[in-house]
Amino acid sequence: ETGVTQTPRHLVMGMTNKKSLKCEQHLGHNAMYWYKQSAKKPLELMFVYNFKEQTENNSVPSRFSPECPNSSHLFLHLHTLQPEDSALYLCASRAGTPNTGELFFGEGSRLTVL
Amino acid sequence: SQQGEEDPQALSIQEGENATMNCSYKTSINNLQWYRQNSGRGLVHLILIRSNEREKHSGRLRVTLDTSKKSSSLLITASRAADTASYFCATEDNFNKFYFGSGTKLNVKP
């Protein structure tokens, strides 16, 4: 138990669906992250939020839309996805100041796009 | 790319043996971290080494860092079947961003 909770753990959706992934942390962290993990590829940094402000969008397609309403919650809204978007989506958090420690990861949301 | 790259991609050893994994990276760093991931689960932090440190220990883990070669190694001593997992190195830049490699998949046979 890392203190970072992701829901749902598994999601199957069609290419025309709209769904959302949710991440929640009560560790008092101010930085939150979305990573994509595909088989045999490095973890891809997607988005970074620091004190609710987006500080990184790593050229992510617009069919992925993040939302950070407060420092404890992070969402990833999904719409008109492609089969190649099937992956494990990992949320992480840490204290907001650089070089202050490690990332705390959730268990991930396994997404399958049909 | 700033991503770390782990080597080897896969490693299979017997219980009780030592496991060594290596990581190379491309740019200057503030710190380097190692994480572990059990199949289909999230990553768990193992150890952090700062750029001004050369070696660090935590239990059965020993990490070295050579900033001149832009490389790090993770040694797990007296491995156990429960150490079976994927291991990743991650580098942090000055902007709260962490970059990971593809990982080393370790299999420890009982």
Side-chain angles (χ1 to χ4, degrees):
Chain A
E1 180 61 52
T2 63
V4 180
T5 303
Q6 289 187 243
T7 54
R9 291 291 313 279
H10 300 274
L11 178 63
V12 179
M13 58 187 289
M15 289 190 285
T16 58
N17 291 158
K18 287 185 180 181
K19 296 286 184 184
S20 296
L21 307 180
K22 179 183 176 182
C23 177
E24 186 173 356
Q25 59 89 9
H26 296 288
L27 300 169
H29 292 165
N30 292 307
M32 296 188 77
Y33 303 73
W34 279 116
Y35 280 91
K36 175 184 178 182
Q37 186 176 34
S38 305
K40 298 184 179 179
K41 291 173 69 174
L43 269 74
E44 298 174 50
L45 177 62
M46 299 176 72
F47 301 104
V48 181
Y49 278 82
N50 203 19
F51 293 92
K52 299 188 298 178
E53 297 297 321
Q54 187 180 119
T55 58
E56 175 72 10
N57 177 340
N58 197 22
S59 302
V60 180
S62 59
R63 57 185 184 270
F64 294 91
S65 174
E67 180 190 0
C68 188
N70 54 61
S71 293
S72 299
H73 294 86
L74 184 65
F75 295 89
L76 189 62
H77 303 300
L78 316 169
H79 61 98
T80 60
L81 294 191
Q82 304 299 311
E84 60 264 28
D85 297 323
S86 298
L88 182 67
Y89 289 84
L90 292 162
C91 172
S93 72
R94 63 89 63 94
T97 307
N99 207 27
T100 55
E102 70 268 30
L103 289 173
F104 291 75
F105 281 87
E107 295 284 27
S109 293
R110 172 69 63 185
L111 173 66
T112 302
V113 181
L114 301 176
Chain B
S1 167
Q2 293 174 277
Q3 289 165 342
E5 294 181 9
E6 294 88 351
D7 171 63
Q9 289 187 344
L11 181 60
S12 185
I13 60 174
Q14 292 292 140
E15 207 165 26
E17 294 180 340
N18 295 342
T20 299
M21 289 159 268
N22 302 298
C23 169
S24 60
Y25 57 92
K26 295 180 181 177
T27 64
S28 61
I29 60 172
N30 286 322
N31 64 69
L32 186 141
Q33 304 180 22
W34 285 90
Y35 290 78
R36 166 197 167 123
Q37 183 182 33
N38 288 351
S39 181
R41 307 290 295 275
L43 280 73
V44 176
H45 178 259
L46 294 175
I47 194 166
L48 179 154
I49 186 165
R50 300 198 185 281
S51 58
N52 60 353
E53 297 176 308
R54 292 296 168 259
E55 187 171 315
K56 202 159 182 181
H57 297 254
S58 177
R60 293 184 296 113
L61 305 180
R62 173 178 169 254
V63 170
T64 62
L65 179 65
D66 187 335
T67 52
S68 66
K69 294 181 180 178
K70 292 187 168 57
S71 67
S72 173
S73 68
L74 171 68
L75 169 67
I76 304 175
T77 60
S79 63
R80 305 166 182 167
D83 294 328
T84 294
S86 292
Y87 292 83
F88 297 83
C89 67
T91 56
E92 181 185 357
D93 67 8
N94 288 322
F95 303 100
N96 258 331
K97 289 183 282 185
F98 291 75
Y99 299 93
F100 291 80
S102 301
T104 292
K105 196 165 187 177
L106 174 65
N107 179 32
V108 182
K109 293 176 281 187

